[in-house]
Amino acid sequence: MNSYLLFVSLLSLTFIAYARMSTPDALSLSWKRFWKLSKIESFGFDDEKIRPETQSLFLSNALISFSLSTYLFLYTYFERFDALVMAVLFVCAYAGFQLLNFRLALFLTDNWKLVGHIAEINKQVWSFVGLVYLGLSFLWLIYGQANEILKQAYALIFIAAYCWRLIKAWRACLQASLEWYYLILYLCALEILPILFVWRWLSGEYN
């Protein structure tokens, strides 16, 4: 099984290699874009914009690396097949959640003009986080699924990336003068409650 997982990791590494061939400074740009709190009017128009094909390779790596790390995390608690199914379902649900929740919120509050900005924030965060999960998956394959530090690292990276995405999105919404009660409604109904639900379910499964 590890040989298949290693192949998946190498596939992600190939995507990153092609991304660097397309944009030699792609890794440094990904690092800068992850941390940068741009003004909303500068999104997509500064000198740190990554080419679309490079962005697609980064996002493909993020999807694969996150899926692999999720599987390795769940495999420490469940049987192989169950972990695989749960990993696929979780990653698909989470990706769909990240793609749809802000669109729904902005549509309901009649602020559709911000969709492009929030979508760009998602790309910035996941392009870099995918690189981190790629490194984590390699470490997991080397040291084994039972490593407690790697399990804690997976959870910490997930929480930190999620919170940083919220901070960047919140700042963009404030810059666009979005009403504060819309922000609270968005955070409570479409961000915090779903995560609390998943956390409660996972805690019940592990205990």
Side-chain angles (χ1 to χ4, degrees), residues 49-179:
K49 185 179 180 181
I50 293 181
R51 296 170 62 182
E53 56 270 27
T54 304
Q55 184 77 79
S56 297
L57 290 168
F58 270 123
L59 293 177
S60 298
N61 164 68
L63 182 62
I64 294 174
S65 298
F66 180 53
S67 300
L68 179 57
S69 296
T70 301
Y71 166 75
L72 292 170
F73 177 82
L74 293 173
Y75 187 41
T76 61
Y77 298 99
F78 303 98
E79 295 296 329
R80 179 177 298 171
F81 179 77
D82 293 338
L84 179 61
V85 172
M86 293 177 66
V88 171
L89 292 177
F90 176 77
V91 171
C92 289
Y94 187 71
F97 171 70
Q98 294 261 300
L99 289 172
L100 297 176
N101 65 343
F102 70 91
R103 287 179 168 86
L104 177 60
L106 294 175
F107 174 76
L108 294 176
T109 58
D110 196 24
N111 287 280
W112 194 252
K113 61 183 179 180
L114 285 175
V115 165
H117 303 313
I118 308 301
E120 181 65 22
I121 288 173
N122 280 348
K123 294 176 184 177
Q124 291 175 355
V125 171
W126 278 102
S127 291
F128 179 74
V129 171
L131 298 174
V132 179
Y133 273 123
L134 178 59
L136 183 67
S137 64
F138 272 115
L139 290 175
W140 228 320
L141 292 174
I142 293 172
Y143 292 106
Q145 288 86 357
N147 194 302
E148 290 294 328
I149 295 179
L150 295 178
K151 289 193 291 184
Q152 294 172 8
Y154 170 88
L156 181 61
I157 294 168
F158 180 85
I159 295 171
Y162 189 84
C163 292
W164 184 238
R165 170 185 167 273
L166 283 183
I167 291 171
K168 287 166 72 81
W170 181 281
R171 187 174 186 272
C173 291
L174 288 177
Q175 287 180 345
S177 300
L178 193 65
E179 296 292 347

